[in-house]
Amino acid sequence: MTPDPEALLDRWLLDAAVLAPDAGRDRWLGEGSRLLAGWTEPHRRYHTGEHLAEMLAALDELEAAVPLAPEDALVARTVAWYHDLAYDPRAAPGSNEHRSATLARDHLHHLGADDVVVDAVEAGVLMTATHEVRADARHPAVQAAVHDADLWILSAPPGRYAAYRAQVRQEHASVPDAAFRTGRAEVLQAFSARDRLYRTAHAHERWTARARANLRGELAELDRGA
């Protein structure tokens, strides 16, 4: 999927008008431009506007199927916009997500978003560091939807999954092959070992089989040194 920046910006403007109605179009547009600039940084290969667009499409699917309340869907989309806003492939685990959460909090407060929304977005961004939805999460529907949409890529069709694998490797081009294979296998094995990959009933029923097939295939190739 080649993302259309104008279409993404239009989506942001619609949501920003609800998130921060008093900010006005110029500030909504300014924030949207800053967000798109972050998602199009030259060092990115997977964590790009394509990933953002796919995550928003997955959230649209979940909103209709789960279903998600409109206010929860709005917060989930906002999490999607901010969750990888800070992205450095060389950063320590969790660092990108914490930096992105701080940016989300600062930017949304600057726009004038409600504190409850800001807190929910921050929590959703931080959840993506571990992809573990806590039992005591204050906004469980939002976090479940974000969790599943961010991991939709594991269930992508074969061609897209192959492209995703290549993009991840390109982002970590500085890592030697053996070390990359070891680290990648550890990440995938942790997901593969889960009793349930997806939190929502819709994603669990519709995406799990493809995701587990993709995981098995990639892990087998990594084990062969491919």
Side-chain angles (χ1 to χ4, degrees):
M1 177 192 300
T2 301
D4 179 351
E6 290 188 5
L8 284 173
L9 184 58
D10 285 343
R11 291 205 65 167
W12 165 257
L13 290 172
L14 288 172
D15 284 346
V18 181
L19 286 167
D22 296 332
R25 183 176 176 82
D26 286 348
R27 291 173 64 191
W28 303 333
L29 186 59
E31 182 63 10
S33 298
R34 282 187 288 273
L35 287 165
L36 287 174
W39 283 94
T40 55
E41 291 170 327
H43 65 274
R44 297 172 181 248
R45 293 296 181 272
Y46 169 62
H47 295 86
T48 66
E50 182 179 27
H51 170 49
L52 172 61
E54 288 172 338
M55 192 168 174
L56 291 172
L59 287 171
D60 288 344
E61 181 178 337
L62 293 173
E63 181 180 7
V66 169
L68 279 179
E71 58 271 23
D72 287 339
L74 172 65
V75 173
R77 289 192 298 270
T78 307
V79 174
W81 274 99
Y82 285 99
H83 82 289
D84 283 327
L85 185 56
Y87 181 72
D88 179 352
R90 300 163 300 179
S95 175
N96 288 322
E97 292 82 4
H98 279 81
R99 288 170 57 217
S100 295
T102 298
L103 289 170
R105 189 168 195 86
D106 290 348
H107 289 209
L108 291 170
H109 272 314
H110 181 70
L111 282 175
D114 186 270
D115 286 348
V116 173
V117 171
V118 175
D119 289 346
V121 171
E122 180 184 40
V125 173
L126 290 173
M127 182 275 298
T128 65
T130 60
H131 289 99
E132 295 284 355
V133 178
R134 291 169 55 97
D136 60 349
R138 294 184 63 185
H139 303 276
V142 170
Q143 294 211 7
V146 169
H147 172 280
D148 289 1
D150 198 24
L151 296 182
W152 169 87
I153 191 64
L154 297 180
S155 72
R160 174 62 186 120
Y161 191 79
Y164 152 68
R165 289 181 57 186
Q167 290 165 346
V168 171
R169 184 66 183 105
Q170 290 163 8
E171 283 187 341
H172 296 87
S174 64
V175 180
D177 286 343
F180 176 81
R181 286 195 299 269
T182 298
R184 178 73 175 163
E186 288 176 355
V187 171
L188 297 185
Q189 285 166 351
F191 283 123
S192 185
R194 292 185 176 190
D195 292 334
R196 182 167 175 148
L197 279 172
Y198 295 107
R199 301 291 303 220
T200 65
H202 176 82
H204 176 64
E205 294 166 4
R206 301 297 181 89
W207 302 352
T208 297
R210 291 199 315 260
R212 292 206 179 276
N214 285 334
L215 289 170
R216 285 194 301 270
E218 185 174 358
L219 283 166
E221 290 190 26
L222 290 168
D223 188 54
R224 293 195 301 268

